[in-house]
Amino acid sequence: MTETYGAEFLTRWLAAVAGSVDREADRLTELDSAIGDADHGANLKRGFAAVTETLAKEPPGTPGAVLTTAGRQLISTVGGASGPLYGTLLRRAGKALGDDERVGRERLAEALGAGVEAVSQLGGAQVGDKTMLDALVPAVEALRESFAAARTAADEGAVATVPLRARKGRASYLGERSIGHQDPGAASSALLFAALAETAAAEEAVEGEGA
């Protein structure tokens, strides 16, 4: 039987992301200070805290509604490029899920893939440009295999940005000087998939106890 996930699962995932971003905000800002505006951690921390608060006040009834609500909140709360980019990722994924009350992992991967495509179109970036896409694209592909594989792929994708020269965003202005630094957007994208894998593992553990 294929495991499926409801709105509560997606809400727990985004709460886990908020907690992870809160803990890692200083590291994300440090990465951003080297090649960006030094505000990535603070911006995402504020944005995902607002997402958690919004979802707690009026819990959406479907996975798609959770993601579209979260995406809208990020776009309206987070400044800089990260708000529109992460907001587009989640909102487009939510629209792709539609009104289904429960979704499987492969369907979630498909929806997040649509979100990643929208992010690529919005920012005009591709894999290899030293952006969040370097973590997002391999993670979404690996999610078709498992949550753990997606986490690993995102981590590896983020680390792989270190030797790259930035071709998009603020970091691209630095030219060769952007080489040797991890992209902060790829680093925060890896946090998303780490939180997803942890949420899925916790869900399986609970179901295992109830079996």
Side-chain angles (χ1 to χ4, degrees):
M1 180 175 147
T2 304
E3 184 68 65
T4 59
Y5 306 91
E8 300 83 2
F9 175 83
L10 276 294
T11 299
R12 284 197 298 275
W13 168 37
L14 294 176
V17 172
S20 184
V21 167
D22 184 64
R23 290 189 299 274
E24 298 288 333
D26 289 346
R27 180 175 73 90
L28 294 175
T29 292
E30 190 178 331
L31 291 174
D32 197 31
S33 68
I35 57 174
D37 293 328
D39 59 2
H40 190 61
N43 282 345
L44 281 190
K45 180 177 176 177
R46 183 174 66 254
F48 277 101
V51 164
T52 303
E53 189 179 334
T54 299
L55 294 177
K57 276 182 187 169
E58 294 180 31
T62 65
V66 170
L67 295 184
T68 51
T69 299
R72 278 199 308 269
Q73 190 64 45
L74 287 173
I75 290 169
S76 65
T77 306
V78 183
S82 54
L85 291 170
Y86 273 113
T88 295
L89 171 68
L90 296 180
R91 192 168 66 171
R92 182 67 187 83
K95 285 181 180 176
L97 289 178
D99 297 326
D100 291 357
E101 291 189 1
R102 297 188 70 80
V103 298
R105 175 175 43 77
E106 289 192 11
R107 178 85 192 285
L108 181 59
E110 221 172 82
L112 287 171
V116 169
E117 175 105 12
V119 168
S120 178
Q121 289 172 358
L122 180 63
Q126 304 292 332
V127 171
D129 286 342
K130 198 182 183 96
T131 71
M132 63 198 295
L133 291 173
D134 290 301
L136 289 176
V137 170
V140 166
E141 288 174 358
L143 184 56
R144 298 174 190 279
E145 180 187 330
S146 71
F147 289 110
R151 176 183 192 161
T152 299
D155 285 340
E156 290 175 351
V159 171
T161 63
V162 174
L164 297 178
R165 174 178 173 166
R167 292 192 176 90
K168 293 291 177 182
R170 180 67 181 266
S172 65
Y173 304 156
L174 297 175
E176 298 287 335
R177 285 179 295 149
S178 65
I179 295 171
H181 300 281
Q182 187 174 104
D183 179 69
S188 57
S189 294
L191 295 181
L192 252 71
F193 284 91
L196 182 58
E198 287 162 10
T199 305
E203 179 108 334
E204 286 170 15
V206 169
E207 287 181 358
E209 286 174 8

